[in-house]
Each structure stands twice: as structure tokens, then as C-alpha cells.
Amino acid sequence: YNLNSENLFTEIKYIEIRYKVNKMIQTPKHQFKISSNNMGVFDLETYKSEKFNNQQIVHAAGYKWSGKEVIYNLKPDELWYEIIIKMFNDLFEKIDFSSGKNVIYAHNLSGFDAYFIIDALQLGGFKLNLIMKDKKIISIKLSKIFEVTNKNGELVNKVKTLHLHDSFLIINSPLAKLAKDFNCTQLKGWFPYDFLNDENLNYIGKTPDIKFFIRNGINIDQASYNSILSNNYNIIDEKNKYLSSDLNAHFEVMVKFDDMVYQKFGINLSQIKTASSLSLTIYTSNYYKLIYNIPILKGWIEDVIRKAYFGGLVFRAKTKLGEIVKGFYYDINAMYPFCMLKPMPVGNPVYSTDKNLDNYFGFCYVKITPPKGLKVPLIPHRNKFGELEYPDSTFEGIYFSELLKEIIKYGYKIEITGGFKFDRGIDIFKGFVMDNYNNRLIAGLEGNLALKILYKLIMNSLYGRLGMKDIQHRAVIVTKEEYEILRKTKNIVSSIDLPLSGDVFIEFNNNISKDAINFVTENTNLINEDLKLKTEKILSEGNLDNFPKLRGVPSSVGIAAAITAYAQMMLFPFKGDPNNKIIYSDTDSIVMEKKIDDNLISNTEIGKFKFEHEILEGYF
């Protein structure tokens, strides 16, 4: 342009601003594999106690470490939490803390066992460091000062640390199934959970009724029940056998899984807390190249582009009570991994006022008008309450550019007001997806279920990690007095009373709006300057120093949004087929009134449909 022109601003077609963002980095493989001597498992057994207001009470505990198994039973003169304190004190005495990081696993720690442990170990003099994710405790760093004898024969204080991880967050499957799939030498047994109460903890007699033997919602089969029928059923002996089978099966699964992860990918399981972090570490250490230029989006850009991120969408045709007489059910082979093979938005985002959709590969602010008489909606909208809807009139939002280009073919009218342009990343996940997909198929053909689980887990978990929200939470244990102060100034996400210590476990993120606090201050006597000072003191002193906030995770929500958009686009031809009515669809499945083309079907080819069922009668 002629900068001296009087028509400078009328000649400008659009304005663009390039933002520099951090890029995903490569991760080195781990040099050494963790020894099985540095790894163990533990478990707690509980029952519902009327004496403790129908709360679950620990009546047995056990661990297996470095091949050694120890089981503890509640004694008549013992309080339930003393078992936990004793078990971890014994562990700290026996573990060799000079040989690297020590990790012990509980299966479903975050869903159940964690709160028993927190409450008990608070009383046992242990220091706890918690890491939170999605209102769940995913790991606990447990430490305690012990007196030890040094080389000079002197007693000195030494801090010992043990990391508690949740194996269920790494391998999301019931332990009984894992033990079978991993071909363990000892499988998970059966125990009458619901039979136990305060009065029969030492029961000896006839085997409890079959109705008490339930595991993960499944009743024991008659043959297995017949094999344990007895008039001399000893509840303590059977509990010990059951707990032992759990510990041995769990330990064998973790040793095998740890070995597979290291042998195949050079990653130490001790450094991993979730399946998504395992998948990301494998990708960044084995497949990612810096030239792929995957952006780490944060701040307002991340917040805006996240609005274009829609997960799995469910559709049901408007039929009477959702009933169908006949239909054909299909599922897509590895839908999200297949979509990861397509071009991805990478590089530094460019904010643009360009109104030409053809110039975009990225995300566009857009006004959308659906076609009249639309029977099957294609594109969702998130209203001001965050709820998904399918409007039949004009609406506005931000969407992936390739999705917008596709819906035009189905009669949608769009008006671009601006957006973000990205570079087009080609094949940045191809090696990762195809290696794991093909290896999974081979493992299945060879009957190696454990290896098949590993490859499927890795392949399916990366997408979610890329879309993970950059949330910073703090998990703290405070007195009730401190809690009353904090809840008036902090955004409390969750809180749980700890009955043993009388403290409160809370998870919170940022401060409540200062405007809101000022309003309350000016209009009531609930909050004053003295209260604010007390709050700041609580946050900077005492036991709160033991609980650092969870750091933001490296994610690229633009890529996650593109993957889900591509997944939606895969179903457009079926939703818009005038000759074959779609009855139902979700993320990766469809139910059609008639059969689909045979060329689209394969039981093994990634991205193709697998015929699951011919439905004779159905209800959605």
C-alpha cells in the first residue's frame, strides 16, 4: 500500500496479528527402568458400620512390596485407622529409600481409598502432598521424619518419601478383568462384602448366602459359589485369602505393565500418574519432532478456541418414544485416532479480520443460518448456560474452519466476522497412530490381551490430553475455623469433613471476585479487613505450605477441537442421506434404517465402519 495515500484505511482488506506461543517440547526417554524393588501395591477392605453412622470402616489392610506380602486385621481392641498407620509405618521401616523413587499403587485410590488414608495418616504424623485433577486425588506424596543411625553410629533425623499412585487412572479396568487379561498366576477371588457388620467380623459357620458375593455389580456364578460351600466358613481366613489374591494379582499386573511400557517405549511407569500422561510422554519421546510445531495455547486465546471444542454428540431421530422396528448398528474403528491422521492446526495463531472462509485453516467467528425444514441438525451450539442445543434459527459462535466448509454443502449459510489462522500440520500423529493401531491388531491376533490393552490405551488417550483444560487448583487440609474464613474469599470446588482429625479437606482455585467481596463488606459485617489479613496468613503459613497448587498441563485445545470436528464431519453423509434414514448416532456409532455401502465396512481398517448388530426392535 501507499502509506501516503489518503485512502489508506479504505484500501486495507483486513488486519492480522500474529501471536507467538510456546511449542510442545520433546521428552527424553528414561535412561533406567525402575526396579520392581521400588514398587508395590496396597489395598484396604471395608464394611458399613452402624456404630459409626453407617460409614465404611476399614477392617483389614495389606501390601505387597518387593515380593513380600503383609496383611493386617482389625483387632477387638484396635481402632480402624490404627491399621492404616501401622501398615505405612511398617512400610517406611522396610523400604530401601536409598535406591531411587518408590511408588506404591492402590486400584481406585482416587475414588475410594484416598480419604481413609488422608484422615488416618494425618493422625499418624505423616506429611501429605496431594495432586488433584477433576476433583479427584490422583497421587499423594507421603513423607515422614524417622530417626536412623548414620555411619558414625549416631542417631540422626531423615525424611523418607513414598509416592501413592492410582493404577486405575493408568489402566482403567476392573482388577479382576486385568488379572485375567494379563494372564496372572493368581486371579481375583470372591468375598461376601455385604455380609459383614459390627457383630460378625470373626464369623465362623455356614457359607453366607450367594446374594452377598457381588463384585463390580456382578454376582458370583453358581459353580464358583458351590466350590466354597462349607459349614465351617471362617470369615477371617477367607478375607485373608481374598486380600492376598488381590495383592498378588495387582502386583503382577503392575510389574508386567511397567515392563511392557519400558521395553516398548523406554518410559518409566514410576513417572506416570494417568493414562493420558503416559500417552503424551510416549508421543513426545518416541514420535514428536520439533518441526511439527504443536502450539501450547494459554490465556484468552485458549479460552476462545475452547469454545469451538465439542465432544461426542448424541442424536436421536424424532420417533414416537424413541422406538424403532428395525435398524442396523455400526461402530467406527478407532474414530478419534483416525481423525488425528488429518491436517492439524499448528504454529503461531494469527488473529484476522478476514471474512473469506477459503483463506482460513483454523477457527472462525461466524453467524450461522440453518437451512429451512432441517430434519437432522449437523452443527451444535453452546448457549449462555453452557448447554448444547441445535437451533433452527440463526446463531453465532466460533467453529473449526473445515467444519464450516463442510456444512455449506448441506445448505447452511454462514457469515464470517473474523477468526484465527493456523499453519496446516500434515501427518504429525501418523507414526504414533498407525504404529499403535497395527501393533494392537497383531497383539489381538496373537491372543496377547495385555499388549493389546497397552496399545489401545496409548492410542486412545493422547487426544484427551491435548484438550485438557489448564486449571490450577489447590488441595489443602485446614481446620474448621480456617475453612470458615477461606470459604468467604476463595472459590471452593469441593470440601470433605475428616471425622478423625476434625479438619476439612478442600479443593479451591482462585479468589472470589473482589467486587463481590467489597459489596458484601460494604453491606454487611461478614467480611472485614481483619478477616482478609487472617485469610492471607492462612494461605502463607502453617500446614498449607505442604500443599502446592496443581500446575497447568501442556495442552493444545485447537488440535483437540479439530479432531472432534473431523469426527462430526465423518457422520454428516449419514445424517444427510435422504435415502437412508438415520435413527441414532453418538460419538462413533450410528443406527441406520437400511444397511450402508459394503465399501465402508471393515472389521480391521482404521476409520471404517464395523457392523455390530441388526436390530429387530429397539428403543432410544
Side-chain angles (χ1 to χ4, degrees):
Y1 296 108
N2 179 4
L3 295 180
N4 297 318
S5 169
E6 294 180 358
N7 300 319
L8 172 63
F9 294 103
T10 59
E11 292 175 2
I12 294 177
K13 294 183 178 179
Y14 51 86
I15 298 173
E16 293 190 339
I17 304 172
R18 181 178 297 273
Y19 291 87
K20 187 176 181 180
V21 299
N22 292 330
K23 305 301 189 301
M24 186 176 285
I25 61 174
Q26 291 174 313
T27 304
K29 293 184 180 181
H30 298 140
Q31 189 173 0
F32 301 106
K33 180 184 179 297
I34 186 174
S35 167
S36 59
N37 294 329
N38 295 85
M39 183 173 71
V41 298
F42 75 96
D43 194 13
L44 306 177
E45 299 298 337
T46 67
Y47 74 97
K48 186 183 289 186
S49 170
E50 291 185 5
K51 293 180 182 178
F52 290 89
N53 299 321
N54 288 323
Q55 291 183 0
Q56 291 290 330
I57 297 299
V58 176
H59 63 89
Y63 70 85
K64 183 165 186 176
W65 185 274
S66 187
K68 297 178 181 178
E69 175 191 317
V70 181
I71 291 175
Y72 305 83
N73 282 288
L74 186 67
K75 298 176 182 177
D77 59 343
E78 196 173 28
L79 296 172
W80 67 265
Y81 58 85
E82 292 176 335
I83 292 180
I84 299 175
I85 295 173
K86 179 174 174 55
M87 180 174 72
F88 279 95
N89 275 327
D90 288 352
L91 262 171
F92 272 71
E93 290 290 341
K94 294 175 182 177
I95 291 175
D96 179 9
F97 286 92
S98 64
S99 59
K101 183 177 181 179
N102 293 286
V103 179
I104 191 165
Y105 295 92
H107 207 58
N108 205 19
L109 169 73
S110 62
F112 189 72
D113 291 342
Y115 298 108
F116 286 104
I117 295 166
I118 289 171
D119 210 6
L121 296 184
Q122 278 277 107
L123 293 181
F126 289 87
K127 177 181 175 182
L128 291 81
N129 228 331
L130 292 84
I131 294 181
M132 301 292 298
K133 175 191 171 188
D134 298 332
K135 300 184 182 180
K136 288 185 176 181
I137 299 172
I138 63 170
S139 72
I140 301 174
K141 182 180 177 182
L142 193 63
S143 56
K144 193 172 184 179
I145 298 175
F146 287 84
E147 277 193 342
V148 297
T149 304
N150 64 15
K151 294 180 180 179
N152 300 323
E154 302 169 330
L155 285 175
V156 295
N157 289 336
K158 183 176 180 180
V159 178
K160 297 181 179 181
T161 300
L162 178 63
H163 297 264
L164 280 58
H165 290 184
D166 185 350
S167 53
F168 187 78
L169 295 179
I170 300 173
I171 324 175
N172 189 345
S173 187
L175 183 57
K177 185 177 187 304
L178 287 175
K180 185 177 181 181
D181 291 345
F182 276 73
N183 197 26
C184 291
T185 54
Q186 185 158 7
L187 301 180
K188 187 175 174 72
W190 290 95
F191 186 74
Y193 291 105
D194 295 335
F195 176 73
L196 286 181
N197 57 50
D198 294 316
E199 309 302 326
N200 63 10
L201 294 178
N202 299 305
Y203 174 83
I204 299 176
K206 188 177 179 181
T207 301
D209 192 275
I210 191 172
K211 68 181 180 181
F212 293 113
F213 291 83
I214 302 175
R215 189 175 65 204
N216 298 320
I218 301 174
N219 288 79
I220 189 173
D221 61 277
Q222 190 64 50
S224 297
Y225 179 70
N226 291 341
S227 69
I228 58 174
L229 279 175
S230 169
N231 290 321
N232 194 33
Y233 187 91
N234 188 312
I235 202 78
I236 293 180
D237 290 347
E238 294 300 324
K239 176 178 57 181
N240 289 343
K241 284 194 292 184
Y242 174 77
L243 185 51
S244 177
S245 68
D246 262 18
L247 294 171
N248 282 283
H250 192 190
F251 185 77
E252 190 173 350
V253 166
M254 296 314 296
V255 169
K256 287 184 175 181
F257 190 72
D258 175 46
D259 190 58
M260 284 191 297
V261 169
Y262 189 82
Q263 296 301 326
K264 299 295 179 182
F265 301 104
I267 301 301
N268 238 322
L269 200 62
S270 65
Q271 308 301 318
I272 302 299
K273 297 181 179 69
T274 64
S276 63
S277 64
L278 173 62
S279 185
L280 179 65
T281 304
I282 288 172
Y283 174 68
T284 55
S285 62
N286 287 261
Y287 297 95
Y288 179 63
K289 300 176 182 178
L290 293 178
I291 58 172
Y292 290 167
N293 219 8
I294 294 180
I296 303 302
L297 302 180
K298 293 185 177 183
W300 73 274
I301 293 180
E302 190 268 353
D303 187 56
V304 168
I305 293 180
R306 185 167 292 280
K307 291 180 172 62
Y309 181 19
F310 296 90
L313 303 172
V314 177
F315 166 78
R316 175 180 68 81
K318 293 181 180 179
T319 58
K320 183 181 179 182
L321 298 178
E323 295 173 335
I324 62 169
V325 176
K326 189 174 183 181
F328 298 88
Y329 194 110
Y330 299 90
D331 192 64
I332 299 177
N333 297 320
M335 186 186 212
Y336 279 168
F338 174 72
C339 291
M340 292 170 69
L341 300 175
K342 298 179 180 295
M344 292 291 150
V346 300
N348 291 316
V350 176
Y351 175 73
S352 177
T353 61
D354 190 355
K355 293 178 172 55
N356 186 348
L357 178 60
D358 293 334
N359 293 337
Y360 280 90
F361 181 79
F363 300 88
C364 301
Y365 292 106
V366 62
K367 182 182 291 185
I368 300 176
T369 303
K372 292 183 178 180
L374 182 68
K375 293 183 178 179
V376 182
L378 300 182
I379 189 165
H381 173 252
R382 193 175 281 112
N383 64 26
K384 64 180 181 180
F385 302 107
E387 300 165 339
L388 286 184
E389 58 186 13
Y390 289 93
D392 54 9
S393 57
T394 301
F395 60 95
E396 297 180 0
I398 182 168
Y399 294 90
F400 184 45
S401 58
E402 309 313 285
L403 181 72
L404 296 172
K405 294 170 186 176
E406 193 68 18
I407 64 171
I408 292 174
K409 301 175 184 178
Y410 295 89
Y412 282 82
K413 294 181 180 180
I414 65 172
E415 180 183 338
I416 305 293
T417 58
F420 294 89
K421 296 179 180 179
F422 286 82
D423 296 331
R424 196 181 294 261
I426 305 297
D427 292 342
I428 64 174
F429 297 116
K430 185 176 180 180
F432 171 84
V433 169
M434 295 313 301
D435 280 359
N436 283 288
Y437 188 78
N438 291 330
N439 287 333
R440 174 192 164 196
L441 291 178
I442 292 170
L445 291 173
E446 293 175 348
N448 192 331
L449 292 179
L451 205 53
K452 183 180 177 182
I453 289 171
L454 172 65
Y455 289 124
K456 181 179 180 180
L457 179 75
I458 293 166
M459 182 179 63
N460 290 342
S461 299
L462 180 59
Y463 143 75
R465 182 71 178 201
L466 294 170
M468 191 176 292
K469 195 166 186 178
D470 186 26
I471 299 177
Q472 296 187 10
H473 285 178
R474 293 186 70 182
V476 300
I477 298 173
V478 296
T479 65
K480 289 190 175 180
E481 180 185 14
E482 292 168 336
Y483 170 67
E484 288 302 318
I485 295 174
L486 287 172
R487 74 184 185 89
K488 295 169 183 174
T489 57
K490 300 295 175 183
N491 181 24
I492 306 294
V493 178
S494 62
S495 66
I496 295 175
D497 289 332
L498 301 178
L500 295 178
S501 62
D503 292 335
V504 184
F505 171 81
I506 64 170
E507 180 189 1
F508 68 93
N509 45 45
N510 53 8
N511 296 333
I512 296 174
S513 164
K514 288 184 178 180
D515 292 337
I517 293 177
N518 290 336
F519 175 82
V520 175
T521 303
E522 293 168 3
N523 291 275
T524 72
N525 293 320
L526 292 178
I527 296 181
N528 51 44
E529 288 302 318
D530 181 55
L531 183 58
K532 290 181 183 179
L533 291 174
K534 285 183 179 179
T535 301
E536 294 307 317
K537 186 176 181 181
I538 290 171
L539 293 176
S540 62
E541 296 181 359
N543 61 349
L544 291 190
D545 285 342
N546 303 334
F547 302 92
K549 63 184 176 182
L550 178 62
R551 300 295 178 185
V553 296
S555 62
S556 186
V557 70
I559 287 179
I563 292 169
T564 53
Y566 282 129
Q568 293 174 55
M569 292 158 60
M570 288 184 70
L571 300 183
F572 283 178
F574 305 95
K575 291 183 175 182
D577 189 345
N579 300 314
N580 189 1
K581 181 181 177 182
I582 187 167
I583 299 165
Y584 167 86
S585 71
D586 52 35
T587 303
D588 60 354
S589 303
I590 56 172
V591 176
M592 306 297 292
E593 197 171 52
K594 304 174 185 176
K595 289 185 176 181
I596 64 174
D597 195 319
D598 288 342
N599 293 329
L600 302 174
I601 299 174
S602 170
N603 286 333
T604 57
E605 189 175 343
I606 188 170
K608 286 207 170 183
F609 286 84
K610 180 168 54 178
F611 176 62
E612 296 284 1
H613 308 287
E614 179 177 348
I615 299 173
L616 302 180
E617 183 179 355
Y619 173 83
F620 294 96

